[in-house]
Amino acid sequence: MMRAGGASESLPVDSEITEVCQQIRPAAEAHAATKYPIFEPVEYKQQLVCGHNFYIKVKVSEAGEFVHLRVFRGLPCYGGTIHLHGFKHPKEVGNSPVDAFVQHLNFDEPKFDD
């Protein structure tokens, strides 16, 4: 069960997370300065804040290389847009689970009215 402010347990990928990954892929590739041959989410956690944080483990090569993304989706009243807030690359070659992490990238911040 997810509670406000806390990250959920690892969850299997669904169509919503697949869509989020496809939308955020260009920003992730720009940050890494590379084009990934594949970009397949394999698991995620979510965190309810003033919107949603998604911590997503994404497979980016057939050799078993993964990146971990922190994606923020704002509330509908703020447009519900998504932003890449964190990026760990290369994260691993192996089976470690995705986990919540704090990293603030300065290039894709949401703008909220005061």
Side-chain angles (χ1 to χ4, degrees):
M1 176 193 299
M2 185 175 57
R3 58 183 165 71
S8 69
E9 296 297 319
S10 290
L11 301 166
V13 172
D14 56 20
S15 61
E16 176 186 25
I17 296 303
T18 300
E19 182 179 330
V20 166
C21 282
Q22 291 311 307
Q23 290 175 8
I24 211 67
R25 182 178 184 166
E29 290 179 334
H31 186 71
T34 191
K35 295 281 186 185
Y36 295 114
I38 60 175
F39 202 79
E40 298 174 358
V42 295
E43 68 174 303
Y44 76 103
K45 290 184 177 186
Q46 61 182 342
Q47 179 183 31
L48 180 60
V49 290
C50 188
H52 279 92
N53 282 324
F54 297 106
Y55 302 94
I56 309 169
K57 180 178 178 179
V58 180
K59 184 177 180 180
V60 294
S61 79
E62 291 299 334
E65 186 176 10
F66 295 87
V67 297
H68 288 199
L69 309 176
R70 178 175 167 228
V71 178
F72 175 77
R73 182 176 61 201
L75 294 171
C77 61
Y78 293 116
T81 57
I82 64 169
H83 304 273
L84 181 63
H85 274 198
F87 182 86
K88 292 186 177 183
H89 172 79
K91 176 59 180 169
E92 63 187 48
V93 175
N95 294 321
S96 68
V98 68
D99 206 358
F101 63 95
V102 176
Q103 180 185 29
H104 296 284
L105 302 177
N106 294 323
F107 67 89
D108 195 14
E109 292 294 316
K111 307 292 187 252
F112 297 108
D113 296 332
D114 291 326

